[in-house]
Amino acid sequence: MMASAQVQAVVEEASKMQQQEKPKEQNDDSAGEKEEHSDVPSPRTARHPLENVWTLWYLENDRTKHWKDMLSEVAKIDSVETFWSLYYTIRPPSELKVGCDYSMFKMGIKPMWEDEANSRGGRWLISVNKNSKAELDRLWLDILLMMTARIFANSEEICGAVINIRAKNNKISLWTANGSNKLAILEIGQKLKLFLHLQSNNLQYQLHSDAMCKANSSVKSIYTV
């Protein structure tokens, strides 16, 4: 099974379980009464809400502007339908210009180290070869699906994900809230490696505090899977 198909199968199963856990709004005795209301959504218009509301951000590379001024909010994502509608509307990461980013974070969290929700955390980082455009798009989509479906045992630790389009190697990272929570970090990393079919040592965890303090040198990784 291809990685994307495997991830989507798990996502669908997780979504079914989430729907089953929600209490029914009415019993069979009121079924007839429900049909009389014209505002009841049909299967075509029914929405499948996500457990968390997410925000998609876009960073347009413009050296005449400050970094924060290059960042703009694209849309809120609160349902499965909203997610796919947006995904098929915007350009895939492989078509972005060098220096541009996509970010998707839980609502209320900005894609920057300084945000209170991110400042004490870190990121699982994947480097993707410039020639692997299809692989880049697949990995990005799979990570978004894994986040929104909450298939991690420690989903509460997830803040968001970022994809950086760069001149040498492109980067995809999954950000977590607490860089000291070793068990949660490793569970998330192992699951990423498994579902994304990553090679050994291609997934590294870095603390945001180390990234903020670096001076023209690579950031050390505290975990590698």
Side-chain angles (χ1 to χ4, degrees):
M1 182 181 289
M2 294 296 290
S4 291
Q6 182 183 15
V7 171
Q8 292 196 43
V10 174
V11 168
E12 290 174 2
E13 183 63 27
S15 298
K16 290 178 182 178
M17 292 177 65
Q18 291 171 9
Q19 292 296 323
Q20 291 172 357
E21 291 173 357
K22 296 179 181 178
K24 294 182 179 180
E25 297 181 354
Q26 57 187 51
N27 55 33
D28 294 338
D29 295 336
S30 60
E33 180 180 347
K34 178 180 178 181
E35 294 176 357
E36 297 177 0
H37 293 279
S38 59
D39 59 346
V40 174
S42 67
R44 291 185 178 181
T45 60
R47 287 165 53 84
H48 299 82
L50 300 174
E51 288 293 313
N52 295 102
V53 180
W54 300 82
T55 304
L56 179 69
W57 302 81
Y58 173 63
L59 185 143
E60 176 74 34
N61 185 25
D62 186 345
R63 294 187 178 182
T64 66
K65 297 181 179 179
H66 186 275
W67 184 87
K68 291 183 180 180
D69 295 328
M70 294 190 288
L71 188 65
S72 58
E73 183 177 323
V74 178
K76 292 284 192 302
I77 303 170
D78 60 359
S79 68
V80 174
E81 291 76 16
T82 305
F83 175 88
W84 287 115
S85 176
L86 183 63
Y87 181 80
Y88 287 118
T89 300
I90 64 175
R91 286 176 293 169
S94 60
E95 295 182 9
L96 295 180
K97 296 184 297 183
V98 171
C100 295
D101 301 343
Y102 275 145
S103 305
M104 197 168 91
F105 278 70
K106 288 176 179 175
M107 188 173 67
I109 304 177
K110 293 183 178 180
M112 53 184 64
W113 297 324
E114 300 85 356
D115 190 285
E116 184 178 357
N118 300 320
S119 60
R120 293 179 294 277
R123 63 176 183 171
W124 278 110
L125 180 65
I126 308 168
S127 294
V128 185
N129 189 283
K130 288 293 296 182
N131 297 324
S132 304
K133 292 187 176 182
E135 181 76 351
L136 181 73
D137 292 340
R138 177 190 70 80
L139 290 171
W140 177 241
L141 174 59
D142 284 354
I143 287 178
L144 298 187
L145 292 174
M146 292 174 74
M147 286 199 313
T148 54
R150 294 174 58 89
I151 69 171
F152 299 101
N154 295 277
S155 289
E156 72 282 353
E157 284 289 320
I158 303 295
C159 296
V162 181
I163 184 165
N164 310 115
I165 307 303
R166 299 297 182 261
K168 294 183 179 180
N169 287 326
N170 298 315
K171 298 178 181 179
I172 303 177
S173 55
L174 183 68
W175 291 28
T176 69
N178 184 358
S180 299
N181 193 342
K182 180 178 179 179
L183 290 178
I185 291 170
L186 291 178
E187 181 268 328
I188 292 169
Q190 292 290 352
K191 195 158 287 185
L192 283 171
K193 181 180 178 181
L194 174 65
F195 283 98
L196 300 180
H197 294 186
L198 299 175
Q199 296 180 355
S200 296
N201 301 324
N202 193 29
L203 187 59
Q204 301 180 352
Y205 189 85
Q206 303 172 346
L207 294 173
H208 294 322
S209 57
D210 291 338
M212 286 187 281
C213 295
K214 75 173 183 177
N216 298 324
S217 60
S218 59
V219 181
K220 68 177 181 178
S221 301
I222 62 172
Y223 305 116
T224 301
V225 297

